[in-house]
């Protein structure tokens, strides 16, 4: 019972990718697309992409698990085994002796032992065992993509933009996406509300946000916010601008949301080390 | 002897030294025509018949001055300063001069002018952090600068004066981070923020959470995704633009990598983030890792690990990317050696101190921590980190060790501008040699400052101390890349041994550190104890490793919340930086014990000693100009060893 998922994990980790392995799901699916994608990104702007680099990793996995006691790991010996020269291509690398080796991470063994327990534990809760049959993990709404200095709409970003909470809220509000129950005060309202109640929510929740974020300047920040936002015309103009922008973005990117390739794979128990203020 | 070293290596600031130097200059080369800048220092000669330090102290005090001591050992010439005067101004302070002159016991009083001085030959007064006498600078005019005590601690909010990153000394050397890019791997960056937009490197940025090139943060009602923006401001908020504060490296570029903001983290996101544009990005700053719940043992997965290795081997066109890591917010019940990211040799793990020198209460410590910077935690809530905030705003309450990591990234950006040939290892060596004990201390008195075998002071909480930007920039300018690095498996044991319920299991390994082979390591950088063990309660295990030179590292502290009884540790690399510069040859000791409420049992199955470092002494080509610097001390230790 316990051996099978472990074996599959081991096998997969050797290929640089570990699949979902929640109870009841298990099994494997075609990794080739993921791997290809991954390697393309990793190899970008480096040496010419060498498919052989993949093999390096898989060989490393094995040697990582079989440190011969008392033996000095010579670089030359190591290279013979792994043929790193050929992996890097004819151009080679200027100082091979300075290479760092994956082997020194020696985390592969750990994964065999503990990944099962660790991966299920996200923020102290058990991840629901029900997993979408889709291989892509869920995502939240997409934030707006304003144009940085020197960029124009031709680069696929937003020129009509206002750097405010209200704008971002309206922009995201028009998307059909998963509500972030942890950090949105009222997911139901956000989905259902019409324009008018939306405006009220907008003022209220942003006000609350200001209170929460900037404890020492409650009144000051709140005042600033209202001064800035008070005319309802501005608000609806802003809403309209944001929603149009969101609609245009959705049109441009098509089904991009469902296709974010980076959201594939095992869920890792990783958390932001955000400060205590922002956690509370 | 050791105490003497420590008092020298801490708290030497360029301004103090500069004043002394300018006094000297006053005697040696008067009459230079230079733009006049007046300092708050006064040369005072006592009336005939009055002499001695005590007399001078009294005279200084009654006039509202402070006597810094005799000039050149003289009995009747002294150096007074007035704290009420700015460090530098363009007008002579006539009332102050008059006040001194009117004192019946004073014969001569002259306000000192500041000089610009060019670097030249040997100067006994010179310290590493004084390359040349910096031009006198004004403070940034940004409205939040006065709240940025981590940049310039004047004692605001009850902090300790001069306990800061000493960035002004770096800026005074003309180094502000130009042509260096730091990527903030976080929840996005408000790159439209007026304090950031002109320092934003759009080409090096990406949004992996939404898969597009624009890492603008996602709105939530609680403004949760303000973190990356706050971190970005610490590194490169613009100077003198009247907005918020100023970044450590205010002319550097910042890139945003949005990768924390999706319901789940994946190996692909991590790997792609850490391998994103490695030739455009110099420094990656990360403030995330395995959950800090005190019971998780986890690290980078396969693809991510490979991205890091590739980054240090090939990034920055072969010099290696710098990965800066927040050690963690797990508090004393966690150990960052259980966080495979922070414990990695390829990341610089940064812990935090608060504004009076204590460790922060949330600090998670471990022997792999290299150095410290500053964050919040004092009683006064206004002592958070002041920086930029979401939607063009500013904040004074950025917090956690995650606020500490970007400060370090900023300091490294300064070092890279000072010398753009520095490798990822050079940065670590520079960090070891220029970090300062300053006045950092463990408020609970558990961890003391200790000297390692080559005279480097370390503390389990703070690594080698707080970063000193001025010193790091100065040393970077004359740095010679360290010799080739080798990896040696020094020794190992794989016979299972029982860990006793009471008392300690002591294991010893003898190593010749691959002597006579191609991977001989004679001067240590990182040491890893790769350990496989299991027990009835993982969190109760405590481990210490002692080097042949007697340096004891706590490689695993008690984690009361870790009740694991199945997984234990499997080939887990416990890393220590404490033995930096030491000779690894000889007997290493591992001490394992249970420290918990109930008796437990366990077995250690494997201990392999991985030694990483150089065969050649690392600092041979570097000139020693200050005999009391850490560089001088380590170099001498290495030379003595060669002779022996």
């Amino acid at each position: 019972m316990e051996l099978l998922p472990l074996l599959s994990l081991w096998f997969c980790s050797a290929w640089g990718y570990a699949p979902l392995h929640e109870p009841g799901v298990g099994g494997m699916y075609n990794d080739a697309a993921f791997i290809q994608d991954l390697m393309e990104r990793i190899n970008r702007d480096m040496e010419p992409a060498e498919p052989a680099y993949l093999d390096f990793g898989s060989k490393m996995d094995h040697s990582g698990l079989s440190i011969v006691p008392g033996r000095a790991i010579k670089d030359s010996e190591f290279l013979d085994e792994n043929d790193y020269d050929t992996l890097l291509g004819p151009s080679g690398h200027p100082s091979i002796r300075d290479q760092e080796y994956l082997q020194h991470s020696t985390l592969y063994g750990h994964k065999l032992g503990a990944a099962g327990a660790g991966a299920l534990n996200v923020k102290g809760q058990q991840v629901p065992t029900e997993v979408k049959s889709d291989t892509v993990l869920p995502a939240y709404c997409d934030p707006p993509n304003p144009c940085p200095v020197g960029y124009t709409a031709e680069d696929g970003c937003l020129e009509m933009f206002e750097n405010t909470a209200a704008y971002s809220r309206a922009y995201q509000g028009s998307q059909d996406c998963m509500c972030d129950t942890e950090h949105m005060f009222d997911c139901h309202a956000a989905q259902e509300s019409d324009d008018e109640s939306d405006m009220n929510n907008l003022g209220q929740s942003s006000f609350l946000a200001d209170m929460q974020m900037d404890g020492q300047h409650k009144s000051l920040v709140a005042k600033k916010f209202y001064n800035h936002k008070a005319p309802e015309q501005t608000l609806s103009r802003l809403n309209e601008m944001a929603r149009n922008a969101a609609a245009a973005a959705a049109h441009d990117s098509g089904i991009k949301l469902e296709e974010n390739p980076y959201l594939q794979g095992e869920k890792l128990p990783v958390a932001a080390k955000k400060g205590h203020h922002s956690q509370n | 002897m050791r105490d003497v070293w420590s008092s020298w290596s801490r708290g030497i600031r360029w301004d103090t030294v500069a004043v002394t130097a300018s006094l000297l200059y006053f005697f040696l080369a008067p009459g230079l025509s230079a733009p006049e800048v007046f300092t708050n220092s006064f040369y005072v000669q006592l009336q005939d018949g009055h002499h001695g330090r005590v007399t001078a102290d009294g005279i200084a005090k009654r006039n509202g001055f402070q006597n810094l001591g005799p000039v050149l050992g003289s009995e009747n010439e002294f150096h007074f300063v007035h704290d009420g005067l700015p460090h530098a101004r363009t007008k002579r302070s006539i009332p102050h001069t008059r006040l001194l002159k009117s004192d019946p016991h004073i014969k001569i009083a002259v306000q000192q002018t500041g000089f610009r001085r060019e670097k030249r030959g040997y100067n006994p007064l010179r310290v590493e952090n004084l390359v040349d006498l910096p031009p006198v600078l004004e403070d940034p005019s940004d409205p939040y600068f006065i709240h940025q005590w981590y940049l310039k601690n004047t004692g605001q909010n009850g902090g300790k004066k001069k306990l800061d990153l000493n960035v002004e000394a770096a800026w005074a050397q003309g180094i502000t981070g130009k042509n260096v890019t730091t990527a903030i791997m976080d929840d996005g960056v408000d790159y439209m923020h007026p304090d950031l937009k002109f320092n934003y490197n759009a080409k090096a940025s990406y949004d992996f959470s939404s898969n597009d090139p624009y890492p603008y943060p996602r709105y939530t009602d609680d403004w949760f995704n303000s973190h990356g923006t706050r971190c970005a401001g610490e590194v490169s908020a613009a100077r003198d633009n009247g907005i918020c504060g100023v970044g450590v490296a205010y002319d550097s570029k910042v890139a945003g990598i949005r990768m924390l903001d999706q319901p789940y983290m994946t190996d692909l996101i991590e790997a792609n983030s850490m391998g994103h544009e490695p030739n455009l990005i110099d420094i990656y700053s990360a403030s995330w890792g395995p959950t800090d719940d005190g019971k998780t043992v986890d690290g980078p997965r396969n693809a991510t690990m490979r991205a890091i290795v590739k980054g240090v081997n090939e990034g920055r066109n072969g010099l290696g990317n710098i990965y800066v890591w927040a050690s963690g917010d797990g508090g004393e019940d966690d150990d960052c050696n259980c966080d495979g990211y922070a414990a990695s040799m390829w990341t610089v793990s940064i812990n935090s101190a608060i504004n009076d020198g204590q460790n922060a209460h949330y600090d998670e410590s471990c022997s792999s921590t290299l150095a410290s910077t500053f964050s919040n935690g004092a009683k006064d809530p206004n002592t958070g980190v002041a920086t930029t905030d979401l939607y063009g705003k500013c904040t004074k309450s950025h917090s956690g060790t995650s606020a500490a990591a970007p400060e370090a990234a900023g300091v490294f950006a300064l070092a890279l501008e000072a010398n753009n040939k520095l490798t990822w290892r050079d940065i670590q060596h520079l960090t070891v040699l220029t970090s300062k004990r300053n006045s950092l201390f463990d408020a609970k008195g558990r961890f003391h400052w200790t000297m390692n075998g080559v005279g480097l002071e370390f503390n389990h909480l703070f690594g080698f101390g707080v970063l000193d930007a001025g010193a790091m920039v100065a040393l970077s300018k004359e740095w010679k890349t360290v010799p080739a690095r080798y990896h040696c498996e020094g020794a190992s044991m794989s016979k299972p041994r029982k860990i006793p319920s009471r008392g300690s299991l002591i294991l010893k390994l003898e190593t010749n550190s691959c002597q006579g082979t191609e991977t001989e390591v004679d001067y240590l950088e990182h040491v890893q104890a790769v350990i496989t063990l299991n027990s009835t309660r993982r969190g109760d295990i405590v481990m210490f490793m002692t080097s042949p030179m007697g340096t004891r590292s706590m490689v695993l502290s008690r984690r009361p919340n870790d009740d694991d009884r199945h997984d234990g540790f499997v080939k887990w690399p416990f890393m220590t930086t404490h033995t930096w510069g030491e000779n690894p040859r000889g007997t290493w000791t591992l001490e394992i014990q249970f420290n918990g409420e109930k008796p437990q049992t366990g077995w250690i199955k494997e201990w392999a000693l991985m030694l990483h470092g150089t065969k050649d002494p690392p600092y041979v080509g570097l000139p020693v100009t200050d005999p009391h610097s850490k560089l001088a001390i380590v170099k001498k230790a290495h030379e003595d060893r060669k002779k022996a």
Side-chain angles (χ1 to χ4, degrees), chain A residues 13 41 67 142 146 155 163 273, chain B residues 191 210 216 272 302 402 489:
Chain A
S13 71
R41 283 214 70 91
I67 294 177
D142 279 335
D155 300 302
N163 194 16
K273 293 174 183 176
Chain B
Y191 54 79
S210 299
Y216 188 82
N272 283 289
N302 201 327
S402 50
E489 191 188 336

Side-chain angles (χ1 to χ4, degrees), chain B residues 210-487:
Chain B
S210 299
N211 190 27
D212 62 56
Y214 306 104
Y216 188 82
R218 178 181 60 99
Y219 171 85
T220 65
D221 288 339
D222 59 0
W223 291 26
F224 184 66
N225 294 323
S226 57
H227 194 250
T229 305
R230 294 170 168 208
C231 291
E234 291 181 81
V235 179
S236 50
R239 179 184 167 133
D240 292 340
N241 61 351
I243 303 160
C244 298
V246 64
V248 170
Y250 54 77
D251 284 328
S252 71
K253 297 276 180 219
V254 66
I257 293 182
R258 179 167 173 259
M259 46 80 71
L260 275 183
D261 191 26
Q262 63 281 323
Y264 305 101
M265 181 57 81
T266 68
D267 194 22
L268 285 173
I269 290 187
E270 286 185 13
N272 283 289
S273 300
M274 300 189 67
H276 185 66
E277 296 291 1
N279 293 327
L280 296 183
I281 293 168
D282 300 289
I283 302 160
Y284 296 81
S285 176
S287 301
W288 45 270
T291 324
D292 289 325
D293 54 7
K295 57 185 178 183
T296 304
V297 176
D298 204 355
R301 299 301 169 87
N302 201 327
T304 304
M305 195 49 103
R306 287 157 64 185
I308 301 175
V309 171
K310 201 170 164 87
V312 296
N313 279 337
E314 299 167 34
R316 284 179 64 230
N317 298 306
L319 296 170
N321 293 120
I322 319 295
Y323 295 99
V324 183
W325 225 269
S327 65
D329 285 344
E332 60 182 329
D333 288 348
D334 208 345
D335 185 298
C336 44
N337 248 343
C338 293
D339 167 350
Y341 302 83
S344 167
M345 306 183 286
W346 304 309
T347 62
V348 180
S349 145
I350 296 291
N351 211 345
S352 49
I354 68 173
N355 68 343
D356 64 357
Q358 297 181 49
N359 62 303
H361 63 89
Y362 48 78
D363 268 354
E364 183 177 331
S365 52
C366 61
S367 55
S368 54
T369 294
L370 201 61
S372 302
T373 56
F374 298 100
S375 191
N376 72 314
K379 288 204 178 72
D380 182 344
N382 284 321
T383 51
V385 170
T387 176
T388 51
D389 206 354
L390 260 188
Y391 308 124
K393 295 186 188 301
C394 315
T395 180
K396 283 184 243 167
S397 54
H398 187 31
S399 56
T401 40
S402 50
E407 291 169 25
V411 173
F412 297 155
L414 295 174
L416 290 183
E417 188 207 335
N419 180 349
N420 63 10
K421 295 282 176 268
L422 297 177
T423 66
W424 69 275
R425 286 171 55 223
D426 292 333
I427 286 287
Q428 295 205 12
H429 278 273
L430 283 160
T431 301
V432 170
L433 291 180
T434 59
S435 293
K436 298 286 191 292
R437 171 176 172 167
N438 206 314
S439 45
L440 301 187
F441 68 104
D442 175 12
K444 294 189 177 165
R446 299 154 301 173
F447 302 109
H448 301 286
W449 286 92
T450 316
M451 220 36 108
N452 81 1
V454 290
L456 292 170
E457 265 187 313
F458 68 91
N459 183 305
H460 180 76
L461 295 177
F462 305 111
F464 289 98
V466 64
L467 293 182
D468 180 327
M472 193 160 189
V473 162
L475 193 55
S476 296
K477 284 183 171 173
E478 53 193 38
W479 189 255
K480 307 268 188 305
T481 291
V482 288
R485 166 167 157 117
Y486 297 100
H487 313 282

Side-chain angles (χ1 to χ4, degrees), chain A residues 5 8-9 12 17-29 31 34 119-120 127-138 263-268, chain B residues 264-266:
Chain A
S8 77
L9 231 193
C12 295
Y17 170 71
L20 293 166
H21 58 99
E22 273 73 20
V25 176
M28 295 177 52
Y29 38 85
D31 296 337
F34 304 162
L120 282 178
V127 170
T129 46
E130 187 192 272
V131 175
K132 283 163 72 179
S133 58
D134 192 354
T135 55
V136 177
L137 301 176
L263 295 180
Q264 295 168 112
E266 182 192 1
K267 302 166 184 174
L268 303 185
Chain B
Y264 305 101
M265 181 57 81
T266 68

